[in-house]
Amino acid sequence: MPELPEVETIKRDLTKKIIGQKIVDIKINKPKIIKEPSADLFKKGIIGEKVKEVKRIAKVLIIKFREDKFLVIHLRISGWLLYGKEDPRARVVFVFSGGKCLNYMDQRVLGELKLRKSYSDLKFIKTLGPEPFDMSPEDFKKLIKGRSTKIKVLLLDQTLIAGIGNIYAQEALFLAKIDPKRPAKSLKESEAGRLYEKIISILKEAIKYKGSSVDSYRDLSGGRGGMEQRLRVYSRKGKPCPVCNKPISKIALGGRGTCFCPNCQR
DNA sequence: AATGGGACCTGCGCGC
DNA sequence: TGCGCGCAGGTCCCAT
């Protein structure tokens, strides 16, 4: 599911709901989701703690209990969080003192929960590139300069630029009218500037509309995001391009499906 | 450095 | 109807 806009949506909603609340029980229905420490220590370590803060770094969600105690959540593809009553499908359930629950939902069981003393030392976090919002257009131009990787594959490389996933990479390239197959270094200065601008605008739009519920992703209350009906090319193979009406194509790049308009994107 | 493959998991939709 | 296959928002790891 979740790219930067979806995780940001969860972070904002979660902040409103759980700050200051105390966790009194945890039910682990799928121990595999708990990557560290053991399921038992994970439980013992969190029960009794109050939520101090909710943070997001790229696509990673972090719940702070203390200066040296953090719950690190990576939703991977199908993870999402549901706040309210306990859900039978939940992989892990956090029970608050008021009786409300935070359900960790994850159909494909690819997500990860970790309880740690810190998060900044996690390899994945340490190697993250800057988020688009923390870059200047010049930073972005420097980033793509000299790289022969296909531009769409580059946008998905979290060590170079963090937070973009397969939906918004395709959408940004469409808005910028750039063919996703092009080597990064083939982009002219003006094209790179345009792409950077569209990355920012698509992420802002997606945050504004609370993300895309293309498949399993739902917001904290179980509602759908409003962004999916605004997607221009993602998952629209064969349908008319919203600009020129010619059919959208789909190819594989870096092993990921990639939709684009061969007529508009050059 | 870049590319391609497979792995991790489950469930859906499609074509036969 | 039923079954097998391909595919899915992410990341890691290996080989070339």
Side-chain angles (χ1 to χ4, degrees):
Chain A
M1 82 156 241
E3 305 182 23
L4 187 156
E6 287 76 22
V7 182
E8 177 65 19
T9 302
I10 296 171
K11 183 208 133 178
R12 291 180 184 184
D13 289 350
L14 214 43
T15 298
K16 286 181 222 153
K17 304 263 189 194
I18 68 167
I19 297 290
Q21 283 211 57
K22 184 172 167 185
I23 295 175
V24 295
D25 195 14
I26 300 179
K27 299 175 189 181
I28 300 175
N29 301 325
K30 203 71 165 173
K32 195 156 224 168
I33 294 288
I34 314 292
K35 301 296 179 186
E36 67 170 277
S38 67
D40 196 40
L41 290 176
F42 179 88
K43 222 168 135 167
K44 283 188 186 142
I46 296 178
I47 289 177
E49 295 291 347
K50 276 187 187 168
V51 175
K52 289 271 173 11
E53 191 184 349
V54 182
K55 301 161 75 78
R56 177 191 63 72
I57 298 179
K59 304 173 189 173
V60 182
L61 201 58
I62 295 163
I63 295 178
K64 175 178 174 178
F65 299 114
R66 296 169 182 269
E67 291 307 319
D68 62 350
K69 198 178 274 197
F70 301 88
L71 171 59
V72 180
I73 304 177
H74 200 310
L75 302 159
R76 289 291 179 95
I77 291 187
S78 62
W80 55 288
L81 294 173
L82 179 61
Y83 181 78
K85 53 179 200 277
E86 183 174 347
D87 190 289
R89 299 164 297 169
R91 304 304 191 181
V92 179
V93 185
F94 300 88
V95 185
F96 292 101
S97 58
K100 296 260 195 180
C101 295
L102 182 63
N103 297 278
Y104 175 77
M105 313 293 287
D106 191 348
Q107 188 177 79
R108 288 171 69 182
V109 205
L110 293 170
E112 313 187 323
L113 302 184
K114 295 175 179 169
L115 180 64
R116 298 181 54 90
K117 288 187 160 60
S118 70
Y119 54 86
S120 47
D121 58 328
L122 277 168
K123 186 184 166 227
F124 178 72
I125 304 265
K126 268 198 297 197
T127 57
L128 280 176
E131 293 189 10
F133 298 123
D134 297 329
M135 297 174 92
S136 66
E138 287 66 38
D139 293 334
F140 184 74
K141 288 173 191 169
K142 249 183 259 168
L143 182 68
I144 66 176
K145 205 173 169 188
R147 294 186 188 269
S148 52
T149 320
K150 293 175 179 68
I151 184 62
K152 192 250 179 169
V153 173
L154 183 150
L155 293 181
L156 295 181
D157 185 338
Q158 304 296 301
T159 69
L160 298 178
I161 181 167
I164 303 171
N166 203 27
I167 295 180
Y168 301 117
Q170 293 169 55
E171 295 297 311
L173 285 161
F174 173 76
L175 293 176
K177 300 184 186 292
I178 291 168
D179 185 328
K181 302 188 288 301
R182 283 178 56 188
K185 63 182 176 191
S186 76
L187 269 65
K188 287 184 289 191
E189 176 118 5
S190 60
E191 293 176 315
R194 207 163 70 218
L195 179 54
Y196 173 77
E197 198 181 292
K198 297 305 182 186
I199 288 168
I200 296 294
S201 68
I202 193 73
L203 293 178
K204 281 190 178 163
E205 183 184 4
I207 291 171
K208 179 176 169 192
Y209 288 93
K210 298 184 179 295
S212 306
S213 292
V214 166
D215 190 1
S216 57
Y217 171 74
R218 296 294 182 274
D219 69 19
L220 246 203
S221 320
R224 304 182 73 92
M227 188 61 196
E228 85 229 44
Q229 62 244 46
R230 307 184 66 84
L231 299 177
R232 283 80 168 173
V233 288
Y234 177 81
S235 193
R236 300 195 70 245
K237 178 190 173 188
K239 297 191 174 145
C241 166
V243 171
C244 74
N245 268 337
K246 299 211 167 123
I248 298 295
S249 290
K250 185 175 181 185
I251 57 173
L253 292 180
R256 316 290 306 276
T258 306
C259 296
F260 69 109
C261 174
N263 185 47
C264 295
Q265 293 176 253
R266 302 295 174 127

